[in-house]
Amino acid sequence: AQSVTQLDSQVPVFEEAPVELRCNYSSSVSVYLFWYVQYPNQGLQLLLKYLSGSTLVKGINGFEAEFNKSQTSFHLRKPSVHISDTAEYFCAVSGSKAAGNKLTFGGGTRVLVKP
Amino acid sequence: GAGVSQSPSNKVTEKGKDVELRCDPISGHTALYWYRQRLGQGLEFLIYFQGNSAPDKSGLPSDRFSAERTGESVSTLTIQRTQQEDSAVYLCASSQWEAAIGNTIYFGEGSWLTVV
């Protein structure tokens, strides 16, 4: 079984400040990790994903995430946020091809960027 | 089409009525998923289709929920005798099975269902 915990339900942040969104997972198999973003009134889109290799993954819009196997974490960071980064962010995990790449999502973190 | 298409985008229905939600996946995508997102909550897996294999129905919350998919094309999610707790956004997604493990899953914009 897989599960994902996003520790912060809401994160207010000022424009141009850094932000970190925390994600921890549990799984009995090797995992693939994802961050999706949902802008207001839009569908989910992929920000970045970790499959293997370098533990630091860079995504779109200046976001990056670091896979830490020992801490079972995949925290998302951006050094300087913009108003347009206001959105809900979802961490997700998939475990195996046999599971059909079914994604298990965390509860989401709502980021509100203030001017 | 270029992306995953869902219809209707919004649906208001009376408690006890049946509803059908439609999903048209990206052409060539063999895997199709339905998720539910209740207000202020995360995404809840409902059902998964992969080619001609038996669907994974492990996420369906009750026998009022069912889904069908014809081949590798359109899918319909049906909710019978709707209840107020069924109010949510129903998201459809698709992906390429033949892509590497961990392939990207593409989401539609969802069908907003309100049961009154």
Side-chain angles (χ1 to χ4, degrees):
Chain A
Q2 301 167 160
S3 68
V4 179
T5 302
Q6 292 184 242
L7 298 166
D8 306 298
S9 59
Q10 293 189 60
V11 174
V13 57
F14 286 105
E15 193 175 17
E16 298 183 5
V19 70
E20 179 178 79
L21 309 183
R22 296 179 292 170
C23 172
N24 287 88
Y25 68 91
S26 66
S27 176
S28 58
V29 298
S30 296
V31 296
Y32 309 99
L33 294 153
F34 305 77
W35 276 98
Y36 279 81
V37 59
Q38 187 176 33
Y39 296 107
N41 301 314
Q42 295 186 29
L44 278 79
Q45 64 184 84
L46 182 70
L47 264 182
L48 50 79
K49 62 183 177 182
Y50 170 78
L51 304 183
S52 65
S54 173
T55 57
L56 183 63
V57 180
K58 293 188 184 298
I60 61 171
N61 301 338
F63 283 92
E64 63 181 31
E66 185 154 20
F67 171 57
N68 188 319
K69 187 174 182 179
S70 63
Q71 296 186 4
T72 60
S73 68
F74 191 54
H75 300 333
L76 180 71
R77 294 189 289 264
K78 185 170 182 177
S80 176
V81 296
H82 302 290
I83 296 289
S84 59
D85 293 322
T86 293
E88 189 151 21
Y89 294 79
F90 292 95
C91 183
V93 61
S94 72
S96 70
K97 192 170 185 179
N101 295 321
K102 182 174 66 182
L103 290 182
T104 300
F105 285 86
T109 298
R110 193 172 298 274
V111 173
L112 176 61
V113 181
K114 303 176 180 180
Chain B
V4 178
S5 178
Q6 292 187 246
S7 62
S9 54
N10 284 283
K11 175 74 175 178
V12 180
T13 190
E14 291 181 353
K15 178 180 174 181
K17 301 281 189 183
D18 297 353
V19 296
E20 283 190 354
L21 307 176
R22 176 189 167 106
C23 173
D24 201 344
I26 293 172
S27 178
H29 281 192
T30 57
L32 186 146
Y33 313 77
W34 283 98
Y35 284 83
R36 177 170 71 177
Q37 185 179 21
R38 289 179 165 146
L39 189 63
Q41 298 186 24
L43 278 74
E44 176 187 6
F45 168 76
L46 296 177
I47 188 169
Y48 157 71
F49 295 91
Q50 170 51 48
N52 294 319
S53 302
D56 176 355
K57 303 180 182 180
S58 60
L60 294 178
S62 76
D63 59 8
R64 295 187 296 105
F65 288 72
S66 63
E68 293 183 348
R69 187 182 186 194
T70 305
E72 295 180 355
S73 61
V74 172
S75 175
T76 303
L77 177 69
T78 301
I79 308 172
Q80 296 178 310
R81 305 182 301 282
T82 52
Q83 303 294 313
Q84 288 185 330
E85 62 263 28
D86 299 333
S87 296
V89 179
Y90 289 83
L91 293 165
C92 179
S94 69
S95 66
Q96 287 181 314
W97 175 253
E98 286 75 17
I101 293 172
N103 58 56
T104 299
I105 294 176
Y106 296 87
F107 284 84
E109 294 192 357
S111 291
W112 291 74
L113 174 66
T114 303
V115 182
V116 296

